[in-house]
Amino acid sequence: MTGRDLRALFSTNDRSVQAAEAFTNRSSQWETVAAALTEHLQRISAPGFDAEDLEAPRNHVLVFHGVGGIGKTTLSRMLEAALTGAGRRPSQWGEPGWPANRILPVRIDLARSAGTDFEQLVLAIRAALTRIGRPLPAFDLALRRYWEANHPGEPLEEYLRRAGLGSRFGQALPQQMQSALADVAQALMLPGTIGSVVGQVTGALIGALRERRQTVRALAGCARLADLLEAEPDLEALSFYPHLLAWELARLPEGKRVVPVVLLDTFEDIGDRTRRDLERLIQRTVWLLPNAFWVITGRSRLQWADAALQGQLDYTGPAAWPGLAHTAVPAARTPAPAGTARQVLIGDFSPEDCDDYLARRLTRDGQPLISEPIRQVITARSHGLPLYLDLSVARFLELSRSGRTPQPADFDHDFPALVARTLTDLTPDERHLLRSVSLLDAFDVPLATRAAGLAHEGPALRLTERPFVREDPFGLWPFHLHGLIRSAVRNADDTTDDRWTEADWQQAAQRAFTTLGEQHHNSPGPDRLLLIACLRQGLRLARDHRLELGWLTPAAWTYVSDSVWEPLAPPDTDAGAGLGTPADALVELLSALARRQHEHRSRTAARLTTVIDSRLLPDDLQHMALYYRAKAYRDLGDSAASQAGMQAVADGDTRLAPAARRGLAHLARTAGDFPTALAAAQTLGWEGRHHRVEGDIWWPHGDMDRAAVAYAAARDEAEQHAIAGEQATSQAQRAFVLAFTDPAVADDELALAQQLLTGLDLRATTLTTRIAALLRDAGRDDVGIDDRAQALRADIHTAGVTYTELTLELALAFHHAVREAHDEMGAAISRLHAATGGGDYAYYSDIAHFMAGLPLEAASRARWLDGQQPTRQRWRTLVTTRRDHLHVPQ
């Protein structure tokens, strides 16, 4: 359903352009309204419903709230149209389940620009009810008395015309009010001259009601009528008159009964939340008119169910308004069940809805004027906010007027109007807080308060209730800004009077950064989730605002020490951009370390080289980059480069010196110098992972039991130090060595390794467990060893972990040896020879010969701890034991 968009129409001389106000389907909101209204109709039709009950909880209010520009007013208008008649209901919306003539929609715009006051609200509701075609004497008499007391000499007809109510609802109200006055005067048998004087009629009626005269029995059923007529006819009294309207509606005959659906739009504009004068009058009206149904749209959720407002409003708390308790729900694709939360956060348009909206807003000859590439850019930038779509349409027309064809790049744009619309109804403290938290990906009330430099949390608490603040109750920091609002506040030109200077933004960034560091430092115990969250936000702030590293340095060391490797790089990091500050270098360093689980090791080495060559990091972090580049070189098979890096770190006596000495021991082992490697292992201690290094030495000797004991000790030591990554790696190695000896035991060990790997991102360790699973099944024909090996080889090539491919070849050699597949064994040995021609892991070819019981044509330079023959015997025994276990014929 569309109408003329006059602003767009008057923005171009091209009369072939058709500008329409496109209405994008909001069927889920309609379904929510329909379900709630159906439940309301059933409730007020039930025998036990009492319109005069002042104590029963109210569930006749439905609230749609959301950020400015999300489409609340459009939704309110479309609901009014849909409730007015089926012909005005969008085709996507389903049929309602009630008679059309029973619903009476009344839409009231509370925007400041509309100038609506409380008198107009009451008169609008009563004027709409003139459709019934009969007076409502109890209410009409009270309203007439109020009018003459507060508007002496001003005809009601003129007021209705001036307020626009006459054109909307006609001029029947004054006649119906006069008819009600005359009917009461006649019932009281007053002289004609007196019957037209409202004061004397009400005085006589009050006396008759007090005396319970039969002549006024029709009105005597309204228990509080006399009290309301006796009260001073001021604005306060007017706010209680809807009680009379509720009574009148409840006693209408069946054929005349209607249910007003009052749509109050732009509720955020009713006044100051600190005083709530107008809100109190409106809330009283809603409470006292329980047989009407109310649909309220505004930026913020309705706070009436908050017990803290007691004293500011008449009716507060969750017992009074059970559906308005602070359990606001987003608009769903299906209506909420009856009796559930009645506060609905209007969601953003889907990408499909955005494209549809843009395609239909501007057309020429029935075809979209805005091209699909431009629509895609606008949709991506909009985060689904309709206001952004409207502003982009205006920009499209503006660019077209300049004489050039708009291009997609023209719409990678932030609009200052979004900032103005967002800030318009915020208090100064809330505006300050909004700008402060726009620097953060997520926040809670204490973090927002400290980041803003405020001494009290009240403004932050109020800000979290705003619709542009989204909540994830399961997040460490549960709140975050709507993506587009955050981008606009941070990046758009700010034309407001209290806009920030660059120095203001820099100070706010430093406050936020310091606060994050304090949260990390003050954590009562090791909290990996908090560490990662603080690092992600802290790295962004330090990078974007060129801050000193400060607490990021110890946090980076804590991150590395656990060997878990969650992704850390802040969003929109450009790895190809130059490094200009220490923060840039630290972001790239930690990103490279995390991404090495998903990138080829050559890529990791290149990224770390860029960090090292920048010379931006302090010495200890520079050594971190050197160490992990040396590890990458080792994985790539470049032992010389790896040794040079490890030696530089070991000589530096920094935090990674023990790990570098372990790296040197590994390099000695890869070269086959086992005595040197073992001697080094015995000096490493826990920091150098001495037990794991020992296990790595014992298993190439075929001493799997001794290796398994060493790996178990490494695993247990890692558990004591709460190093999850090391614990999983040691357990995976234990499963690997035991897979050579006992498949049943290996099953249990693999299960534990996979359990320890849950939630971790350790690519090489995961590959080790897959090789261990293949070893466990070695010698069998029914488990697809060749196919599994092929898949493993592809994943290893992707990772660039050379030594893992050698381990896979050794596992395949074990499989072929058990099966006595001589040709396949020969091929495996040839592959090992080719892959170890540089000298590293050359003894793997020796081990393959040992497995198969083949003589060595040319032994490697390996220095076995107890000689070649005992090592040969242990490997051959592993093969024959497996053959016996599988009953492979000799």
Side-chain angles (χ1 to χ4, degrees):
M1 183 173 295
T2 60
R4 283 294 188 190
D5 181 355
L6 295 179
R7 283 182 301 171
L9 195 65
F10 280 83
S11 296
T12 177
N13 292 327
D14 187 350
R15 299 187 63 180
S16 66
V17 173
Q18 299 297 309
E21 290 185 332
F23 177 73
T24 298
N25 183 21
R26 287 283 192 184
S27 58
S28 63
Q29 283 82 40
W30 165 252
E31 291 168 5
T32 299
V33 171
L37 181 51
T38 299
E39 183 206 348
H40 175 73
L41 293 172
Q42 293 170 348
R43 184 171 58 252
I44 65 175
S45 300
F49 177 76
D50 180 4
E52 293 185 276
D53 187 341
L54 302 179
E55 298 179 358
R58 299 304 199 247
N59 203 29
H60 64 316
V61 179
L62 181 61
V63 180
F64 291 108
H65 63 109
V67 297
I70 199 65
K72 301 178 297 296
T73 293
T74 302
L75 174 63
S76 180
R77 288 173 177 161
M78 291 309 301
L79 289 173
E80 179 190 27
L83 293 168
T84 299
R88 303 178 64 187
R89 188 170 59 246
S91 59
Q92 309 98 321
W93 291 7
E95 293 284 341
W98 55 80
N101 61 357
R102 193 177 177 194
I103 302 301
L104 181 63
V106 188
R107 183 176 176 275
I108 301 171
D109 188 354
L110 298 173
R112 294 187 184 97
S113 57
T116 304
D117 58 20
F118 183 66
E119 276 187 356
Q120 284 182 314
L121 184 147
V122 174
L123 284 170
I125 296 172
R126 176 60 186 93
L129 288 170
T130 57
R131 196 186 89 178
I132 300 171
R134 56 182 287 167
L136 304 173
F139 179 83
D140 289 351
L141 193 61
L143 181 61
R144 178 68 179 264
R145 179 169 178 263
Y146 168 86
W147 189 261
E148 293 197 359
N150 291 275
H151 296 268
E154 181 179 7
L156 181 58
E157 294 89 337
E158 176 60 25
Y159 183 89
L160 294 174
R161 185 195 62 76
R162 192 170 63 251
L165 298 177
S167 60
R168 289 180 62 193
F169 304 112
Q171 288 287 350
L173 178 57
Q175 288 81 5
Q176 290 186 3
M177 291 174 62
Q178 183 60 39
S179 176
L181 183 64
D183 290 345
V184 172
Q186 183 178 0
L188 294 171
M189 294 181 290
L190 296 174
T193 55
I194 296 177
S196 62
V197 180
V198 68
Q200 296 190 34
V201 173
T202 54
L205 176 59
I206 292 168
L209 289 171
R210 297 295 189 201
E211 296 169 5
R212 302 181 182 275
R213 295 181 200 166
Q214 281 294 105
T215 55
V216 292
R217 63 181 180 277
L219 295 176
C222 186
R224 299 176 180 88
L225 175 58
D227 297 301
L228 287 172
L229 292 177
E230 282 183 325
E232 183 69 24
D234 55 15
L235 197 63
E236 187 79 3
L238 179 64
S239 68
F240 287 99
Y241 292 174
H243 174 73
L244 304 176
L245 198 56
W247 179 79
E248 292 279 15
L249 289 171
R251 75 187 191 107
L252 287 172
E254 186 62 37
K256 293 288 188 179
R257 285 192 179 177
V258 296
V259 176
V261 177
V262 186
L263 301 111
L264 300 180
D265 188 31
T266 327
F267 200 79
E268 70 272 10
D269 276 8
I270 63 170
D272 187 349
R273 279 191 168 198
T274 60
R275 294 184 60 190
R276 299 181 183 269
D277 293 338
L278 179 54
E279 184 178 6
R280 184 175 66 254
L281 300 176
I282 293 176
Q283 191 216 44
R284 187 179 295 155
T285 298
V286 174
W287 183 271
L288 295 176
L289 197 50
N291 37 3
F293 186 73
W294 301 78
V295 180
I296 297 177
T297 47
R299 292 192 178 188
S300 303
R301 72 175 185 89
L302 212 55
Q303 296 180 306
W304 296 351
D306 293 357
L309 290 184
Q310 186 175 10
Q312 296 186 63
L313 301 174
D314 290 356
Y315 311 96
T316 57
W321 306 95
L324 301 183
H326 194 185
T327 53
V329 295
R333 294 198 175 274
T334 56
T340 59
R342 292 294 175 83
Q343 303 244 40
V344 179
L345 179 64
I346 298 184
D348 303 316
F349 283 177
S350 68
E352 295 78 12
D353 282 346
C354 289
D355 186 76
D356 178 67
Y357 183 92
L358 292 168
R360 291 191 288 116
R361 274 298 299 273
L362 298 176
T363 59
R364 178 185 286 125
D365 299 326
Q367 297 300 312
L369 191 61
I370 304 176
S371 67
E372 183 176 356
I374 292 178
R375 297 202 306 267
Q376 290 176 350
V377 172
I378 296 173
T379 294
R381 289 277 295 165
S382 73
H383 291 264
L385 188 68
L387 176 59
Y388 187 91
L389 305 180
D390 284 340
L391 293 170
S392 297
V393 169
R395 180 170 175 79
F396 183 92
L397 292 170
E398 177 187 352
L399 293 170
S400 298
R401 286 199 304 270
S402 70
R404 67 182 183 86
T405 303
Q407 300 297 319
D410 295 324
F411 295 88
D412 187 11
H413 185 74
D414 288 298
F415 292 103
L418 286 170
V419 181
R421 287 284 295 270
T422 303
L423 297 177
T424 184
D425 61 340
L426 302 185
T427 66
D429 278 350
E430 288 172 344
R431 294 158 77 100
H432 179 77
L433 270 158
L434 175 62
R435 292 186 172 100
S436 298
V437 299
S438 72
L439 295 165
L440 298 168
D441 300 324
F443 59 94
D444 58 12
V445 169
L447 176 58
T449 302
R450 296 290 302 280
L454 298 181
H456 47 288
E457 294 185 347
L461 189 61
R462 291 196 301 273
L463 188 72
T464 62
E465 297 174 357
R466 298 289 184 172
F468 49 74
V469 176
R470 304 298 167 84
E471 183 175 5
D472 174 9
F474 302 106
L476 176 64
W477 295 302
F479 303 109
H480 63 276
L481 292 182
H482 182 284
L484 182 62
I485 301 303
R486 182 184 182 198
S487 173
V489 170
R490 286 286 296 114
N491 302 315
D493 292 334
D494 189 345
T495 58
T496 57
D497 291 340
D498 60 349
R499 60 186 175 273
W500 279 7
T501 66
E502 283 302 317
D504 293 330
W505 283 108
Q506 191 68 18
Q507 291 171 8
Q510 185 63 62
R511 284 195 306 268
F513 180 78
T514 301
T515 303
L516 288 168
E518 291 169 350
Q519 286 208 4
H520 164 63
H521 179 74
N522 296 331
S523 176
D527 187 336
R528 186 76 184 180
L529 183 64
L530 178 63
L531 168 71
I532 299 306
C534 288
L535 271 173
R536 285 176 180 156
Q537 300 219 69
L539 286 168
R540 173 195 283 277
L541 287 166
R543 181 200 65 190
D544 293 351
H545 298 275
R546 307 178 75 85
L547 304 178
E548 296 295 329
L549 295 182
W551 61 268
L552 287 176
T553 297
W557 281 107
T558 304
Y559 168 76
V560 167
S561 67
D562 282 351
S563 301
V564 179
W565 312 118
E566 301 92 334
L568 273 186
D572 67 33
T573 294
D574 183 359
L579 304 181
T581 67
D584 290 336
L586 183 56
V587 167
E588 179 65 3
L589 168 59
L590 296 181
S591 174
L593 297 186
R595 286 294 303 166
R596 72 196 181 106
Q597 306 300 330
H598 306 279
E599 295 177 338
H600 197 278
R601 288 298 195 267
S602 61
R603 170 68 175 148
T604 303
R607 293 181 68 178
L608 292 176
T609 297
T610 300
V611 172
I612 292 165
D613 291 348
S614 74
R615 300 286 177 183
L616 290 168
L617 293 174
D619 287 345
D620 56 345
L621 293 177
Q622 185 82 349
H623 277 206
M624 182 189 291
L626 282 169
Y627 169 75
Y628 281 100
R629 185 178 68 171
K631 286 192 70 174
Y633 283 145
R634 186 189 72 196
D635 292 344
L636 292 166
D638 189 346
S639 294
S642 179
Q643 183 160 5
M646 291 292 183
Q647 194 64 60
V649 177
D651 292 344
D653 197 29
T654 58
R655 301 188 202 199
L656 284 173
R661 289 194 287 273
R662 179 180 80 239
L664 293 171
H666 278 309
L667 289 168
R669 174 177 59 83
T670 62
D673 188 357
F674 293 109
T676 299
L678 184 61
Q682 292 168 349
T683 67
L684 293 176
W686 152 247
E687 295 83 358
R689 310 299 192 258
H690 55 145
H691 289 309
R692 178 153 65 88
V693 175
E694 290 170 355
D696 292 344
I697 294 169
W698 289 121
W699 80 256
H701 289 77
D703 196 342
M704 302 306 176
D705 292 337
R706 200 167 184 177
V709 170
Y711 286 133
R715 177 199 63 204
D716 295 343
E717 206 167 33
E719 182 180 13
Q720 292 169 11
H721 288 83
I723 307 298
E726 177 63 23
Q727 187 180 359
T729 297
S730 298
Q731 177 58 30
Q733 288 297 126
R734 176 175 166 82
F736 168 77
V737 298
L738 290 176
F740 282 105
T741 64
D742 191 329
V745 171
D747 261 338
D748 295 338
E749 299 295 336
L750 271 171
L752 178 57
Q754 288 159 356
Q755 177 183 336
L756 294 175
L757 275 168
T758 301
L760 304 183
D761 196 2
L762 299 173
R763 198 173 194 181
T765 300
T766 300
L767 292 170
T768 297
T769 62
R770 292 173 63 188
I771 296 172
L774 189 146
L775 277 169
R776 175 199 59 199
D777 298 334
R780 295 173 56 184
D781 294 325
D782 58 342
V783 289
I785 292 288
D786 292 338
D787 291 341
R788 290 159 61 188
Q790 185 176 355
L792 258 170
R793 192 174 282 113
D795 290 344
I796 291 168
H797 285 170
T798 300
V801 187
T802 304
Y803 73 88
T804 304
E805 184 170 10
L806 296 175
T807 306
L808 172 61
E809 293 294 349
L810 201 62
L812 289 172
F814 182 73
H815 171 67
H816 300 321
V818 171
R819 296 179 65 249
E820 289 194 335
H822 301 299
D823 292 342
E824 290 87 345
M825 189 69 185
I829 290 175
S830 296
R831 289 195 297 271
L832 283 169
H833 267 307
T836 60
D840 288 345
Y841 297 102
Y843 56 86
Y844 274 27
S845 179
D846 294 358
I847 292 173
H849 283 82
F850 299 163
M851 290 177 180
L854 297 174
L856 287 173
E857 297 178 5
S860 70
R861 292 179 295 177
R863 297 174 59 206
W864 303 104
L865 292 174
D866 55 353
Q868 183 189 114
Q869 190 57 37
T871 302
R872 171 186 285 272
Q873 185 58 48
R874 283 189 290 269
W875 278 108
R876 184 58 184 166
T877 299
L878 289 172
V879 172
T880 57
T881 301
R882 176 64 61 89
R883 295 182 80 251
D884 292 342
H885 173 75
L886 296 175
H887 305 294
V888 177
Q890 297 291 331

